[in-house]
Amino acid sequence: MKKLLFALFLLPLAGCFDADMTFTVNGDDTATMRAVMSMGPEMYGMIASSGEDPCEEGVGEAQADGGYICTIEETDTLDNIVADLKQVQEGQEGPMNLSEGFTLERLDGGLVKVAFDLASLGEGAAESGMDPAMMGSMMQAFEGHGMTITVVGKEIVETNGTLSDDGTSATMHIPLAAILTQDANLPASFDVTLKAK
């Protein structure tokens, strides 16, 4: 997932882009990762004209305004996800194709900690080598757009995100412009500790 977002920063004059990612820890010791990515007509047009499938691993739907929505959803056991992440750390591709920017670990007392690395996204944008004029164009294109990450579980024990009223989910909205400029107010990671069941 992170690799896809990284690639979008490198597209020249990319159009609007929004992403909603939800990681749900289910009560049966499984978890579901769901991502919905919305591309504006300009961005979708660039990707489509290159011959690339903008939603190779999910279900894509062209919109009436020329935009495009891609939905990707995967469910697996927590143990398999932990094993998959270990494969990623070792440089191999696991079955869920998770990225290095996501971590999950089991803690004592039936707790699970989930973390999304936000700092590496900013570093990738900074290292892209864009000139100031290109950076300005990207900033204008990304204004008002971002990605929202939500983690859902039986009970959220600790988070640096926004806790829902019922205490079962935590959310963080990340403006794309904040990633591009490595905004100091953006935390290094989005962390959530929750009860698995």
Side-chain angles (χ1 to χ4, degrees):
M1 211 68 67
K2 186 187 74 171
K3 292 175 183 175
L4 171 61
L5 296 173
F6 249 92
L8 296 174
F9 286 115
L10 305 180
L11 287 173
L13 302 175
C16 58
F17 173 84
D18 292 279
D20 289 296
M21 288 181 275
T22 303
F23 185 80
T24 303
V25 177
N26 307 307
D28 58 356
D29 221 33
T30 65
T32 301
M33 176 83 81
R34 186 173 193 270
V36 179
M37 290 158 281
S38 304
M39 306 175 195
E42 298 87 356
M43 176 172 287
Y44 175 51
M46 281 190 290
I47 296 175
S49 65
S50 72
E52 294 290 326
D53 182 349
C55 196
E56 187 175 351
E57 298 173 4
V59 177
E61 182 180 357
Q63 303 298 293
D65 65 355
Y68 190 83
I69 293 178
C70 174
T71 302
I72 300 172
E73 185 170 318
E74 295 280 353
T75 299
D76 208 337
T77 67
L78 292 177
D79 288 339
N80 283 348
I81 294 172
V82 170
D84 188 36
L85 289 168
K86 185 176 180 182
Q87 284 184 275
V88 171
Q89 292 169 354
E90 295 172 351
Q92 304 171 35
E93 186 173 299
M96 283 188 76
N97 195 25
L98 298 171
S99 79
E100 296 174 4
F102 171 75
T103 59
L104 181 149
E105 61 179 311
R106 287 185 180 274
L107 305 176
D108 294 337
L111 300 179
V112 171
K113 182 175 182 180
V114 180
F116 293 85
D117 183 359
L118 306 179
S120 62
L121 285 176
E123 290 167 2
E127 294 168 2
S128 65
M130 283 186 285
D131 60 49
M134 179 68 73
M135 182 72 78
S137 296
M138 295 290 277
M139 286 293 292
Q140 289 182 357
F142 285 157
E143 193 64 41
H145 298 283
M147 58 180 170
T148 300
I149 304 173
T150 302
V151 177
V152 181
K154 180 181 178 183
E155 179 185 341
I156 306 300
V157 176
E158 185 178 2
T159 183
N160 63 342
T162 301
L163 187 65
S164 63
D165 291 339
D166 63 3
T168 62
S169 68
T171 301
M172 183 171 287
H173 178 72
I174 304 104
L176 295 185
I179 296 174
L180 194 64
T181 60
Q182 292 185 283
D183 191 326
N185 295 317
L186 188 68
S189 64
F190 173 35
D191 305 312
V192 183
T193 301
L194 55 87
K195 289 184 179 178
K197 53 184 173 179

